[in-house]
Amino acid sequence: MATLAISTIGDEISLITLMFRTAGDRAPFAVPLLLMAQLLPGLLATPYIGRLVDARDAGMLLAGAALADAVVLVWMAYHPDLSSTLAGASVLSILFAIGGTASFALIPVLATGLGMTLARANAVLEFVRSAGMLAGPVVGGMLVAWGGAGNALLIDAASFALLAAVIVGSGLRRPVERHVGGVGRALFADYLSVLRDRRIVIMIGALTFGVFASAIADVAFVFLVTVSLSAGSIAFGLLTACWAAGMMAGAVVVGTWPVNRPAPVAFASVMVMGTMMVTIGVAGATMLAGLSLVGIAFIVGGAANSVHNVAVRTMLQREAPASAHGKVAALYSAATNGAAILGYMVGGLFMPAGAIDAYLLGGVLGILAGGIGWLLFAVLKPGAARL
């Protein structure tokens, strides 16, 4: 868990580096292209990754993906041009999809090993990741400003190599049922049992729209800082750290709750994030936006983000059998990543000067996604969840 926090710091350093390396060209769609490269290849491979994780040891898959991440990042450190950046981000997209799906499947194993409830384990891991996200942006912003992009990427590579070594040495393993995801079965047949669960399908479908709304603001973030607020890389890192601080607070709070009904918590947190984006948009439109106000809004939004992550993971892990956790994670990842790509494309239409409008649009859509999604979910009776 400590190594996971270190790896998360490295991830944030890499995010800061690649974002500013790409945004430096001032091409309107350069940042959306980077964000899409980080998602699209993994999105296309996700269905196969879900079946792979359910058929193989998720612990070793996570270690292998982390080691491959380190190799790719070292290569990117010495190839700073835009095409190489996009190519490297595309490969990392697939590796991150493998690592994320494997991590989802390993959380119940960690919960058992730690002797705590599933919701509490999700909250603990959310806190660990948030701690890394809090330190990472500050370090990343300083490295971009003073140390150079290449060194920043090398640091991220080292964190992934450390993560791979610790996972292998720790003995963290997930037993699998060898008949799951057999090579003779059609891909759709493997996912059919999951798709028959209407509770899972409705939650994924509704919350996917909330991801689309947030993705619009994600594209606008770097331009909100550099154009609307006329600030630089250090301010970018500090504001990202505000979001991470909020996530830490949210993880602590949700970790003290029993979370017996994670679904309404997930939808409500989407509405809170939408309200945060609207607040930034309104403040910017009325010339009241400043670093302090945006920082406070990001703390609130980060707390809601953390609560949302714990609630969604807990609901999906409870609803699906352990032998299908990889496929459930793959479905959720595919749906949300697809929505994020569409959101990045829409957000790109507002750049570089329309960050405030992008936050207004994303916030309104987020509020609608949470409210309407909960109404649709509440109509479905638990007894009729499976077709």
Side-chain angles (χ1 to χ4, degrees):
M1 290 174 65
T3 308
L4 182 61
I6 296 173
S7 179
T8 305
I9 293 175
D11 292 346
E12 294 302 316
I13 293 173
S14 177
L15 175 63
I16 296 288
T17 302
L18 296 179
M19 187 72 73
F20 270 88
R21 173 188 283 182
T22 306
D25 292 338
R26 289 288 178 175
F29 282 93
V31 171
L33 281 175
L34 172 65
L35 296 175
M36 290 174 63
Q38 291 173 332
L39 288 180
L40 184 57
L43 171 63
L44 297 177
T46 291
Y48 300 94
I49 292 171
R51 182 162 66 175
L52 175 67
V53 170
D54 281 336
R56 299 290 185 270
D57 177 15
M60 294 307 296
L61 284 175
L62 180 57
L67 184 60
D69 286 329
V71 173
V72 174
L73 285 165
V74 170
W75 179 83
M76 292 177 70
Y78 294 102
H79 295 80
D81 57 284
L82 181 60
S83 60
S84 296
T85 298
L86 295 178
S90 298
V91 177
L92 290 176
S93 172
I94 298 175
L95 296 173
F96 288 167
I98 296 173
T101 305
S103 297
F104 182 93
L106 286 170
I107 290 176
V109 179
L110 287 172
T112 301
L114 294 171
M116 59 177 59
T117 65
L118 186 57
R120 181 67 60 82
N122 276 310
V124 170
L125 290 175
E126 191 70 20
F127 179 84
V128 169
R129 291 192 179 101
S130 300
M133 291 174 64
L134 177 61
V138 178
V139 176
M142 292 180 178
L143 284 177
V144 171
W146 301 322
N151 289 333
L153 292 176
L154 290 175
I155 290 174
D156 191 18
S159 72
F160 272 113
L162 176 63
L163 177 61
V166 170
I167 292 174
V168 172
S170 69
L172 179 62
R173 301 292 183 268
R174 175 178 176 259
V176 295
E177 300 176 26
R178 289 299 176 185
H179 68 276
V180 176
V183 294
R185 299 182 60 183
L187 185 63
F188 180 76
D190 273 346
Y191 284 86
L192 187 58
S193 61
V194 178
L195 293 171
R196 284 175 173 167
D197 191 318
R198 291 172 59 190
R199 291 175 65 87
I200 290 178
V201 171
I202 289 177
M203 169 167 263
I204 291 177
L207 295 180
T208 292
F209 193 69
V211 173
F212 168 75
S214 297
I216 297 174
D218 288 342
V219 175
F221 177 37
V222 65
F223 296 105
L224 174 72
V225 175
T226 59
V227 178
S228 301
L229 299 177
S230 300
S233 61
I234 295 179
F236 183 92
L238 290 174
L239 287 176
T240 307
C242 287
W243 187 276
M247 291 189 68
M248 290 180 63
V252 171
V253 172
V254 77
T256 63
W257 295 350
V259 195
N260 295 323
R261 299 181 64 205
V265 175
F267 288 110
S269 57
V270 171
M271 296 182 69
V272 172
M273 286 187 282
T275 302
M276 177 275 301
M277 288 186 282
V278 169
T279 300
I280 293 176
V282 170
T286 56
M287 305 303 292
L288 296 177
L291 288 175
S292 298
L293 186 147
V294 174
I296 294 172
F298 270 34
I299 291 174
V300 175
N305 192 180
S306 188
V307 172
H308 173 77
N309 291 342
V310 172
V312 171
R313 285 199 301 265
T314 301
M315 183 271 180
L316 294 177
Q317 289 161 349
R318 285 180 179 175
E319 188 70 20
S323 60
H325 280 176
K327 290 184 281 291
V328 169
L331 281 174
Y332 183 70
S333 176
T336 53
N337 286 347
I341 290 173
L342 292 177
Y344 295 152
M345 295 174 64
V346 173
L349 299 175
F350 292 87
M351 299 308 116
I356 297 300
D357 294 333
Y359 266 82
L360 285 171
L361 175 61
V364 171
L365 293 179
I367 293 172
L368 291 175
I372 296 176
W374 169 241
L375 291 177
L376 293 174
F377 187 86
V379 169
L380 178 66
K381 296 180 180 180
R386 293 187 181 274
L387 295 174

